[in-house]
Amino acid sequence: MPGVKSKRAFPDFEKPIVEINEKINAVIRKDPSSPELEELNRKRNSIIDDIFSRLTSYQKVQLARHPMRPHTMDYIEGIFDDFVELHGDRKFGDDKAIIGGLASFKGETVMVIGHQKGRTAQENIERNFGMPHPEGYRKGLRLMKLAEKFGFPVITFIDTPGAYPGVKAEERGQSEAIATNLKEMINLRTQMIVIIIGEGGSGGALGIGIGDKILMLENAVYFVCTPEACSAILWRDSSKAEQAADTMRVTAADLKKFGIVDEIVSEPVGGAHWDYEKTFGVLKKRIGYNLGILKRTGKEKLFEKRYNKFRNMGVYEENGRS
Amino acid sequence: MAKKKDIPEGLFERCPKCGFSVYGKELEENLWVCPKCNYYHRLSSDKRLSTIIDENTFREYDRNITAADPLNFIDMMPYKDRIESYRDKTKLTEAIMSGVARIGGIEVCICVLDFTFMGGSMGAVVGEKVCRSIDRAIKLRSPLILISSSGGARMQEGILSLMQMAKTAAAIARLSNESLPYFSIMCDPTSGGVSASFAMIGDINISEPKTLIAFAGPRVIQQTIKQELPPGFQSAEFVLEHGMLDIVIEREDLRSTLIKLLKMFGKTYGKSSKKD
């Protein structure tokens, strides 16, 4: 796990896992073939099972925001080959909170685009905590259009607390940038896969989140506003974030149930941050599988399905019936 | 404050900005703009329509589409009860009214968001009614006018309300593919999930003066940056200056401007405009 060394990075509920891992590592350092190890590993698994069997929604939010969790660049390096990063929106600037570029996936050229969070304070300042300005969305769209022109599939990675709420972002048209992306992504004439890898923060996530297949990591979350903001607005009390997370239904299972997400991608025991390689391996297979399906679907049918997918979202009553 | 005894209560309306009391009928004739300080009263959906469309031409559609509660959402009160209370208070069915009307004799599909109903927030009903209006515009080959006044997505419908941004933008994309004109009119306030979806992507973006138009509201921004916001920040004039609006126009001139525009787009809609 690169970047973060402090134990403080772990949320409280994870502390027993961290402790047993340290014990196991200490034993391995002394004697890699110690007979104690089998028992310790069993214990580790039972601790994790216990914690994960009663994980609350808010704990999932904490996992999704875990600083050691793989971020977009980690996935790009772990799953794709020959990544060439492309910068800038050709209008205003280059937003480091959204990265993108060409890469090779099993020999095929694809366009990858994603929010990029940092791990250290320094990185987070540079990446603006993964909160894009309008030029980030415009860069994303520029790269999508480039992919469309040459028939490359687009794969986006979602991991942001939200689009940045700041003066410059408003001046440069945050709303216009996101709205335009939504409209253009619906019309984009190429295959598109969206993967929610961490935090799916509101319009800032959706701004690069339209696609033919929406995949979501098991411990990722997706919400209309952060549980903290929801708590402050609806309960007028910022300490109700845990309750808000439950009420808002933010987990992958919730989103699958509502038909927003097509597929949940399973994570290694304890979460993606404990085993990057395994996480990449599983996701790579799912990308390959879904890309195969999309490539076998006729283009017209693909676009019709994408439109209908979003057109049918939402639950309402008609003549008193839902 | 002293009340005039010979006039029944309610006939006078006070300006929320300058406090000036004006006879209701006079305020209506002034299109609900304060004659003293020029403050634009926020308008309910029916009043808003009356300032724009030809008299008695509005046919409402989709009134039977109402909110469900897929999350069983309870904050300080259950969502269902909240909806009920707004229905009682506003006599509206939802935060949007949609239908077909005439403007200068030209038939248009039109939706009006109503800020008095849960802050004009967009949940599945607003999303569906906007989309059905767009479907109708395509079927009738008529122009589309969406009048926004909304705080954004309706949090009580969780992620499903966020997806209404994608859904309405998708329908606008369809309309755009059909080359039918869409005029977006932003009224105070237009923010969050509404400004970041259908409102900002009109073929023509129009706003009334001093309207708040924002992605994130001023309070949220102030909490984030912990600095004073520049004067006039996020006003229609500010947004116009930054290139996101085509026109900022006085309320009294909106109708005539729409008629002018509709006429100029005349060849793009109607039966003969069908694309091959």
Side-chain angles (χ1 to χ4, degrees):
Chain A
M1 273 174 258
V4 176
K5 300 207 167 56
S6 164
K7 236 201 278 187
R8 274 173 308 173
F10 292 91
D12 281 342
F13 73 90
E14 250 192 327
K15 296 261 153 80
I17 306 174
V18 177
E19 277 159 21
I20 187 113
N21 277 342
E22 278 173 357
K23 240 183 244 172
I24 291 171
N25 286 338
V27 171
I28 291 174
R29 267 196 301 277
K30 253 193 248 158
D31 173 12
S33 59
S34 165
E36 260 183 278
L37 278 173
E38 197 178 321
E39 177 55 27
L40 279 171
N41 275 323
R42 226 192 332 268
K43 204 170 158 199
R44 174 181 185 268
N45 287 342
S46 106
I47 288 173
I48 291 176
D49 279 348
D50 182 47
I51 292 171
F52 275 72
S53 66
R54 47 194 174 81
L55 211 57
T56 67
S57 301
Y58 195 72
Q59 286 169 339
K60 287 229 174 187
V61 173
Q62 289 176 301
L63 277 181
R65 290 173 178 164
H66 206 298
M68 288 163 177
R69 205 172 159 79
H71 292 158
T72 294
M73 192 55 106
D74 302 310
Y75 284 101
I76 292 175
E77 285 169 0
I79 293 176
F80 303 88
D81 298 313
D82 303 325
F83 176 62
V84 180
E85 188 175 353
L86 303 172
H87 295 273
D89 66 348
R90 302 250 176 112
K91 289 187 178 96
F92 177 82
D94 184 43
D95 188 344
K96 292 187 173 65
I98 288 185
I99 58 169
L102 291 166
S104 171
F105 180 80
K106 296 180 172 178
E108 181 180 4
T109 304
V110 296
M111 184 67 81
V112 286
I113 298 163
H115 304 98
Q116 182 65 36
K117 288 184 177 179
R119 280 204 180 84
T120 61
Q122 177 81 34
E123 280 172 13
N124 263 321
I125 289 166
E126 193 183 319
R127 301 288 179 187
N128 200 29
F129 298 84
M131 295 187 281
H133 281 71
E135 52 271 24
Y137 295 102
R138 290 176 186 139
K139 168 165 75 175
L141 183 59
R142 179 177 80 83
L143 298 184
M144 288 178 213
K145 292 273 188 189
L146 181 65
E148 177 185 50
K149 180 174 169 185
F150 295 101
F152 306 144
V154 174
I155 299 168
T156 64
F157 292 88
I158 307 296
D159 191 16
T160 178
Y164 187 61
V167 173
K168 299 288 173 205
E170 295 288 323
E171 285 178 353
R172 299 201 282 270
Q174 191 74 288
S175 285
E176 191 277 341
I178 292 173
T180 298
N181 275 25
L182 300 181
K183 182 183 164 200
E184 296 293 326
M185 289 177 87
I186 280 287
N187 268 338
L188 204 80
R189 312 298 272 181
T190 188
Q191 299 87 359
M192 305 172 82
I193 296 177
V194 176
I195 307 156
I196 300 134
I197 54 172
E199 199 175 3
S202 193
L206 194 61
I208 55 168
I210 307 279
D212 302 304
K213 292 280 181 188
I214 319 279
L215 277 50
M216 185 161 175
L217 273 282
E218 193 181 341
N219 294 314
V221 292
Y222 201 173
F223 37 66
V224 62
C225 72
T226 61
E228 291 80 4
C230 180
S231 150
I233 297 165
L234 293 185
W235 280 267
R236 306 215 173 90
D237 175 356
S238 55
S239 70
K240 294 273 199 292
E242 293 187 28
Q243 194 182 336
D246 265 338
T247 311
M248 287 163 75
R249 313 282 191 88
V250 300
T251 68
D254 293 325
L255 269 89
K256 179 84 170 49
K257 205 183 88 190
F258 290 132
I260 310 290
V261 159
D262 296 296
E263 191 179 312
I264 299 173
V265 180
S266 61
E267 292 184 26
V269 182
H273 55 295
W274 292 110
D275 194 340
Y276 276 28
E277 289 314 310
K278 205 167 178 182
T279 306
F280 300 153
V282 172
L283 184 57
K284 187 171 185 174
K285 277 199 190 113
R286 299 320 301 163
I287 293 174
Y289 173 80
N290 282 290
L291 202 53
I293 292 179
L294 297 180
K295 300 215 88 169
R296 286 193 297 276
T297 311
K299 285 244 160 128
E300 285 313 311
K301 198 172 168 199
L302 191 72
F303 307 133
E304 194 62 27
K305 274 177 90 165
R306 188 191 303 160
Y307 174 80
N308 287 332
K309 177 189 186 68
F310 288 93
R311 176 67 178 81
N312 293 328
M313 283 182 186
V315 180
Y316 52 85
E317 292 185 350
E318 193 159 5
N319 301 319
R321 280 190 299 269
S322 56
Chain B
M1 194 185 298
K3 275 184 189 161
K4 291 184 183 176
K5 287 198 183 94
D6 53 337
I7 296 169
E9 230 181 315
L11 281 184
F12 271 90
E13 286 188 52
R14 267 172 67 89
C15 172
K17 192 164 174 230
C18 74
F20 183 69
S21 284
V22 58
Y23 185 47
K25 196 76 196 158
E26 192 188 327
L27 189 63
E28 182 179 342
E29 275 160 17
N30 211 33
L31 305 177
W32 295 276
V33 176
C34 175
K36 186 149 180 246
C37 75
N38 208 32
Y39 170 80
Y40 278 52
H41 287 248
R42 282 181 181 165
L43 296 184
S44 60
S45 37
D46 55 339
K47 281 183 186 165
R48 173 72 61 188
L49 276 177
S50 75
T51 66
I52 291 173
I53 64 169
D54 301 352
E55 217 175 329
N56 298 322
T57 60
F58 182 65
R59 272 176 294 138
E60 190 175 0
Y61 281 84
D62 302 325
R63 239 187 116 77
N64 55 342
I65 298 176
T66 51
D69 180 18
L71 274 62
N72 294 315
F73 200 97
I74 301 173
D75 46 70
M76 287 162 87
M77 83 160 55
Y79 178 41
K80 279 204 164 121
D81 294 354
R82 198 178 287 275
I83 289 279
E84 260 331 298
S85 79
Y86 274 103
R87 274 190 200 145
D88 288 346
K89 204 163 78 182
T90 62
K91 308 292 169 215
L92 297 165
T93 57
E94 248 292 341
I96 184 171
M97 224 160 54
S98 64
V100 177
R102 286 182 181 277
I103 300 178
I106 298 160
E107 188 176 68
V108 298
C109 289
I110 191 164
C111 297
V112 194
L113 271 66
D114 197 313
F115 194 75
T116 58
F117 194 103
M118 283 188 84
S121 56
M122 173 159 68
V125 176
V126 169
E128 183 66 18
K129 285 175 83 164
V130 166
C131 287
R132 288 200 191 186
S133 295
I134 294 169
D135 293 346
R136 197 171 297 120
I138 292 171
K139 200 174 149 216
L140 299 172
R141 303 281 321 155
S142 76
L144 176 75
I145 296 178
L146 301 181
I147 306 172
S148 301
S149 175
S150 169
R154 186 174 294 172
M155 276 178 276
Q156 288 87 348
E157 292 184 24
I159 193 74
L160 292 163
S161 71
L162 184 73
M163 292 303 147
Q164 302 311 304
M165 293 170 65
K167 173 169 167 163
T168 52
I172 296 288
R174 280 259 148 136
L175 187 80
S176 186
N177 295 346
E178 294 283 334
S179 302
L180 285 164
Y182 159 39
F183 304 152
S184 171
I185 302 172
M186 291 172 240
C187 302
D188 193 59
T190 298
S191 65
V194 168
S195 76
S197 64
F198 61 82
M200 260 301 158
I201 47 178
D203 292 308
I204 311 270
N205 285 345
I206 304 171
S207 173
E208 289 188 338
K210 297 196 179 73
T211 299
L212 178 89
I213 300 172
F215 174 68
R219 252 186 314 154
V220 176
I221 294 178
Q222 201 143 31
Q223 278 165 15
T224 311
I225 63 169
K226 300 186 171 55
Q227 281 169 20
E228 279 296 299
L229 298 173
F233 182 60
Q234 298 180 320
S235 66
E237 294 75 10
F238 174 94
V239 179
L240 178 81
E241 196 185 310
H242 286 90
M244 304 299 150
L245 289 174
D246 292 283
I247 305 166
V248 175
I249 193 155
E250 300 285 340
R251 190 172 283 172
E252 60 175 336
D253 296 328
L254 179 57
R255 177 178 148 85
S256 60
T257 302
L258 281 175
I259 293 172
K260 236 191 276 178
L261 286 169
L262 283 167
K263 281 186 179 153
M264 279 187 275
F265 277 87
K267 278 188 182 160
T268 66
Y269 53 84
K271 295 236 154 35
S272 58
S273 69
K274 186 83 189 140
K275 279 209 321 182
D276 296 318

